[in-house]
Amino acid sequence: MADPNYKDEEKNGSDDVSAVEPRRRRSIDIIHALVVEDHAHEIKLRTMSWQKAAWLLAGDQVCLAIMAQTWSLSVLGWVPGIITMVASGVLFWITSITMHKYIMKYPEIMNICDFGYYIFGKSRAAYAFSGFMLLANNIILIGFHILTGAKIINTLSDHSQCTVVFSVIVTLMGVVMSAPRTLRHVSFMSMFSAFCMGIAILLFLIFAGIEDAPGYGYNGSYPTDGPVRTYAFPLSGTTWINCLNAVLNITFLWVPQILFPTFIAEMERPQDFPKSLAVLTAISAFLFICPPAIGFHYLGQYSTAPAFGSLGPLTYRKGSFAFVIVPTLVIGVIYANVTAKFIYTHILGTSRHAHSNTVIGWSVWILVMAGIWFLGFIFAEVVPSMGDFLSLLGAAFDSFFGFIYFAIAYWLLYKGKLFAGPFRSIMTAIHAFVMVVGLFLLGPGLYAAVKAIIADYSGSTTPAFSCANLSI
């Protein structure tokens, strides 16, 4: 955790020239001291360049969730869907920059828990709450990636084994791949991960374009639901719960900031993070909108999540879905690394084992990592619908870590001068909207997600540790 004895030199959030320059120099001095201290250790964490951080960000964001956006468009229609996607991207950029500015004010921040500790007045309760949310969010996501990996192997092998066996295989692969203790090493995996996901998306678009008609939709196989059509607004009969879950599906994709403080803490020059963020935003803006829009054009109301499941020929589904196994594992590794570091530092603290190649250090790291993946495996096996639980994540966790936390951080940064000029007034209005969005997701959004889960449990659900075929 960040140093609780740290005393803030700044009063009332002043950002005039006379105050900004000393603060900037102070931040740079602290960063330099932290890097020097880290580089004296045997295992060095603060080693990422902004280019490697950009690859790490891309590896985390270029993921299977992109292929669920076509379904979101099929629920919302062109106009609300595209507006939600663009607005989510704009808010992602603005809140991420606000987060970075706040971290530059407190360079000691190592993770989202430290961030919560500071913005709530150095509250240990806020730190504990953020820690619980971090662990719950990340372990559930690891479970999702275990389930996705099992689904991919099911599809490729024509369900040659019990699904639990495939889940165990993915879990063991995840533990092995999670062995590196620095994010700089994980960033190398991320380069390959983003490339493989890009190939999967490209193949999907090619297959969707050349096939005569889609294969399957949630309302039945083609042409049960009539000819393929797209529409500007939600179809008649679409419930507001479905619409909210589609919105949550979009916001979930655009809200990875729970990991960003840890990424920034392992950069050699954290002040360069906006460069990495610019690369990520450009990649995300294209991949999060264009492929889903093309997919909706070809699949229409037959869109599924992920969209691979709507393709007709089995060879098309297998050919495109196969490449997703790499990002599925690598993204699980990224979330596991951030989670393990939070637990690991609380176990070993500042002892030499925490940053040296000792038997105790590596033993604790491997045990913590294995425990995280095991919990993810348990969760993957007992939930009835991981898709609905992703909506729950978007409402319960992203409301805080994508919106509410950063609206509060903005207020603390500019307290006393929120309307000092046109630009600052506009940014204040945007961050007020960010707070409203966060509260909306936490209220009605959470209600919609819970209602969807209740509906799953009331119907036919997959039993725990099932051998059922999960092929798309």
Side-chain angles (χ1 to χ4, degrees):
M1 190 170 107
D3 182 8
N5 298 316
Y6 169 75
K7 302 298 181 184
D8 184 18
E9 299 173 358
E10 189 176 347
K11 303 297 181 184
N12 298 322
S14 173
D15 66 348
D16 57 80
V17 174
S18 62
V20 169
E21 186 57 29
R23 285 205 313 272
R24 189 187 70 83
R25 287 200 302 268
R26 172 195 164 279
S27 294
I28 297 301
D29 289 344
I30 292 176
I31 290 169
H32 177 72
L34 290 171
V35 171
V36 170
E37 179 186 8
D38 175 79
H39 287 191
H41 297 156
E42 192 173 1
I43 296 177
K44 302 170 180 61
L45 298 179
R46 295 178 179 270
T47 55
M48 274 200 300
S49 64
W50 72 263
Q51 293 93 337
K52 288 187 174 64
W55 275 116
L56 185 65
L57 291 168
D60 175 51
Q61 282 290 81
V62 183
C63 59
L64 180 62
I66 294 171
M67 302 308 298
Q69 305 310 298
T70 297
W71 170 79
S72 293
L73 285 175
S74 74
V75 174
L76 298 172
W78 286 115
V79 176
I82 296 298
I83 289 175
T84 303
M85 289 175 172
V86 173
S88 297
V90 172
L91 293 182
F92 162 75
W93 168 263
I94 291 173
T95 53
S96 296
I97 289 295
T98 297
M99 175 204 67
H100 178 257
K101 287 181 178 179
Y102 196 84
I103 291 176
M104 287 299 95
K105 181 180 176 182
Y106 300 104
E108 303 89 344
I109 289 174
M110 295 293 294
N111 50 48
I112 197 67
C113 307
D114 288 344
F115 195 93
Y117 171 77
Y118 275 110
I119 65 171
F120 287 105
K122 300 178 183 176
S123 166
R124 293 191 178 276
Y127 182 87
F129 171 78
S130 301
F132 168 77
M133 297 283 275
L134 172 73
L135 294 175
N137 180 81
N138 290 8
I139 290 173
I140 291 173
L141 277 173
I142 290 168
F144 170 74
H145 286 90
I146 291 172
L147 190 62
T148 301
K151 182 176 290 190
I152 295 170
I153 302 175
N154 257 297
T155 302
L156 297 179
S157 68
D158 297 318
H159 189 53
S160 62
Q161 296 289 331
C162 173
T163 297
V164 177
V165 174
F166 294 141
S167 296
V168 170
I169 292 172
V170 174
T171 301
L172 293 176
M173 292 174 66
V175 173
V176 172
M177 291 177 63
S178 299
R181 284 163 65 174
T182 67
L183 287 173
R184 181 174 65 89
H185 289 92
V186 177
S187 71
F188 289 109
M189 300 184 201
S190 297
M191 297 170 63
F192 188 53
S193 171
F195 174 77
C196 288
M197 191 66 221
I199 294 296
I201 294 171
L202 180 61
L203 288 175
F204 161 76
L205 296 177
I206 292 172
F207 294 149
I210 64 176
E211 68 179 1
D212 295 330
Y216 166 78
Y218 289 133
N219 292 324
S221 299
Y222 181 86
T224 304
D225 204 22
V228 174
R229 64 191 187 279
T230 62
Y231 27 90
F233 296 94
L235 293 173
S236 176
T238 303
T239 65
W240 74 272
I241 289 180
N242 282 340
C243 289
L244 269 181
N245 278 322
V247 169
L248 288 170
N249 192 50
I250 294 171
T251 58
F252 169 79
L253 182 60
W254 275 104
V255 181
Q257 289 106 320
I258 190 172
L259 304 178
F260 285 8
T262 304
F263 292 175
I264 294 172
E266 294 202 23
M267 293 182 67
E268 195 162 15
R269 286 178 50 86
Q271 57 268 43
D272 288 342
F273 179 75
K275 298 178 183 178
S276 309
L277 185 65
V279 173
L280 173 66
T281 304
I283 293 173
S284 299
F286 175 77
L287 289 180
F288 292 3
I289 298 176
C290 292
I294 296 171
F296 182 45
H297 169 75
Y298 284 115
L299 303 177
Q301 74 277 23
Y302 290 94
S303 300
T304 60
F308 300 113
S310 296
L311 295 175
L314 178 60
T315 53
Y316 288 0
R317 297 200 296 273
K318 286 186 176 183
S320 53
F321 201 33
F323 286 90
V324 182
I325 190 66
V326 176
T328 295
L329 285 166
V330 172
I331 294 171
V333 167
I334 294 172
Y335 277 93
N337 186 282
V338 172
T339 309
K341 281 194 172 78
F342 174 74
I343 300 172
Y344 184 78
T345 53
H346 278 271
I347 295 174
L348 295 181
T350 57
S351 70
R352 68 183 184 89
H353 302 292
H355 47 72
S356 302
N357 289 312
T358 65
V359 173
I360 292 177
W362 276 104
S363 297
V364 172
W365 176 259
I366 296 299
L367 286 173
V368 168
M369 194 62 74
I372 289 169
W373 279 94
F374 175 74
L375 290 175
F377 166 77
I378 296 298
F379 197 89
E381 295 303 311
V382 300
V383 299
S385 171
M386 191 61 76
D388 287 340
F389 273 82
L390 289 182
S391 294
L392 181 67
L393 286 180
F397 301 150
D398 292 349
S399 56
F400 286 101
F401 298 136
F403 299 95
I404 294 174
Y405 271 30
F406 306 123
I408 296 172
Y410 176 85
W411 179 75
L412 292 171
L413 284 170
Y414 300 103
K415 183 172 54 177
K417 54 188 181 316
L418 296 172
F419 300 97
F423 176 76
R424 182 57 51 217
S425 298
I426 292 172
M427 295 305 294
T428 297
I430 291 174
H431 282 83
F433 178 69
V434 166
M435 175 62 81
V436 170
V437 171
L439 294 175
F440 179 81
L441 293 180
L442 188 60
L446 185 59
Y447 174 80
V450 171
K451 287 286 286 184
I453 292 173
I454 292 173
D456 274 341
Y457 273 106
S458 64
S460 58
T461 60
T462 303
F465 297 96
S466 170
C467 284
N469 187 358
L470 297 183
S471 301
I472 60 171

